[in-house]
Amino acid sequence: MSGTFSRVAAQRVLCRKVTGHFFPAPNLPFYPLLLSISNSICFTRLAVILKFDRLLPRVCSASGFCWSVVLFSLAWPAADALAQTGSRARNQVNPSETKQATGIAVVELFTSQGCSSCPPADAALEQIASVAAKNELSVFVLSFHVDYWDHLGWKDPYGDAVYSNRQRSYARANGSDQIYTPQMIVSGTTEFVGSDKAKAHAAITKSLGKPQRTRVTLGVEKGSAADSLKVQYGIAGATDGMVLNVALVQTPKSNKAPRGENAGRELQHINVVRAFEIVQLEPSSGTVTLQVPDDVHASEAMVIAYVQSPKSLAVTGVASAKLPKVAGE
């Protein structure tokens, strides 16, 4: 059982790192068939990249589709070396290119502690936030933990079906029924594999180059219940048909996953979404109540609210606010 599990995990890591290929979620209909096809496509792409294509025996169907057969134990060292070399050359963020930007960027990462390909994307999100803070850029990052990998041996403590459904909504809006991790979406309109720093830099730079069309003001105070927050918002600019996404995000202490694909690995995250509400912007001001989980402390959390078009998915405005201080923290 454990040998098969490790082999499957290694295959997914290899294909994602080298080819950027993603795998179908296990909740899709005909998952075994889709996974088999996905593996075959990935093998083919891997062969082209590694220039091992001439060494791979093929079995072709009558329709002309070729299924590659490869021993990952042989391909892994070369592929991993290639991925490491390539990533050093292309996955550097150059803050000087975006330092004068005046627009906004909202970066949503769909991730999971149950996915072995996600830690590099989690680290990339941290780097994005660090570069943005250093250069005073209006870049807001959110980490949505999905729950559809929880069956792989480790249940993500931050995973929630609400965030899986948000990712599915993005997929449907883009004419797809496939979801995967890690997936990064910048300002609602540009998606890619979450560990691809080059694409992240390009998408964020493009978003920062656009003027902010909507201004958001926030005020946060304690709610009537001990475990709640009252978020007051005001919107200036076009609000017709728009929604406001209000998220409570936490940067928790790292934790070690004892089981699953990341067994024994120390996992670190930034701005993990712990509560999320969507409200229609009619009128353009109002109050939203967020329920605060017991393990969220004011010193490690904040509220991020961003205006989004349900039709185009474009994000037009964003703001953040700290939580009120709590005695003893």
Side-chain angles (χ1 to χ4, degrees):
M1 180 71 176
S2 61
T4 302
F5 179 78
S6 298
R7 197 159 53 247
V8 171
Q11 290 175 1
R12 185 154 61 230
V13 171
L14 178 63
C15 276
R16 282 178 174 164
K17 286 178 69 175
V18 180
T19 71
H21 183 75
F22 62 86
F23 288 79
N27 59 330
L28 290 175
F30 309 110
Y31 172 67
L33 176 60
L34 291 173
L35 183 61
S36 175
I37 295 173
S38 185
N39 278 334
S40 300
I41 294 172
C42 192
F43 293 175
T44 303
R45 296 173 67 185
L46 178 66
V48 172
I49 291 176
L50 296 179
K51 301 186 185 302
F52 288 159
D53 199 49
R54 67 184 186 280
L55 302 179
L56 302 179
R58 293 175 179 272
V59 179
C60 296
S61 67
S63 64
F65 185 85
C66 291
W67 303 73
S68 299
V69 182
V70 64
L71 281 174
F72 269 90
S73 59
L74 295 177
W76 176 274
D80 194 52
L82 179 62
Q84 294 291 337
T85 302
S87 65
R88 284 194 294 270
R90 68 177 181 271
N91 286 348
Q92 300 297 322
V93 177
N94 184 357
S96 64
E97 294 182 14
T98 54
K99 192 167 184 178
Q100 303 303 318
T102 57
I104 60 168
V106 173
V107 183
E108 297 174 280
L109 175 66
F110 292 92
T111 184
S112 172
Q113 289 196 357
C115 166
S116 59
S117 298
C118 286
D122 297 325
L125 195 70
E126 284 192 85
Q127 184 184 11
I128 289 168
S130 176
V131 170
K134 181 179 179 181
N135 292 276
E136 299 180 351
L137 302 172
S138 296
V139 178
F140 300 77
V141 305
L142 302 96
S143 180
F144 289 90
H145 284 239
V146 301
D147 69 340
Y148 52 79
W149 296 124
D150 284 356
H151 68 286
L152 294 180
W154 174 244
K155 180 177 171 62
D156 190 328
Y158 309 118
D160 197 305
V162 171
Y163 311 142
S164 300
N165 288 334
R166 178 164 178 80
Q167 188 184 24
R168 291 188 182 95
S169 295
Y170 270 120
R172 286 194 296 270
N174 290 317
S176 173
D177 59 357
Q178 290 193 357
I179 53 176
Y180 66 95
T181 56
Q183 182 187 35
M184 195 172 283
I185 300 177
V186 175
S187 297
T189 57
T190 306
E191 73 87 20
F192 46 88
V193 175
S195 54
D196 193 329
K197 295 181 183 179
K199 287 187 177 180
H201 174 69
I204 292 170
T205 300
K206 181 179 179 181
S207 183
L208 289 174
K210 299 178 181 179
Q212 183 174 192
R213 303 201 308 270
T214 311
R215 299 290 173 178
V216 182
T217 56
L218 292 178
V220 182
E221 58 186 54
K222 297 177 185 177
S224 56
D227 61 346
S228 68
L229 289 173
K230 186 166 68 172
V231 181
Q232 297 175 324
Y233 63 86
I235 311 297
T239 60
D240 290 346
M242 297 291 200
V243 298
L244 182 69
N245 304 305
V246 184
L248 171 65
V249 301
Q250 173 197 24
T251 298
K253 295 179 181 178
S254 62
N255 70 287
K256 185 174 289 186
R259 300 177 301 279
E261 289 192 2
N262 289 311
R265 196 168 188 172
E266 196 75 20
L267 303 174
Q268 181 65 54
H269 308 287
I270 187 171
N271 287 3
V272 177
V273 179
R274 303 303 309 276
F276 191 71
E277 296 290 339
I278 302 175
V279 295
Q280 292 287 335
L281 286 179
E282 297 176 0
S284 58
S285 62
T287 301
V288 180
T289 299
L290 296 176
Q291 297 301 312
V292 183
D294 293 338
D295 61 338
V296 174
H297 305 291
S299 59
E300 60 184 16
M302 66 176 171
V303 171
I304 298 176
Y306 50 110
V307 178
Q308 189 170 29
S309 167
K311 293 182 179 179
S312 69
L313 303 180
V315 173
T316 62
V318 61
S320 65
K322 295 181 179 180
L323 270 58
K325 291 183 179 181
V326 177
E329 283 196 15

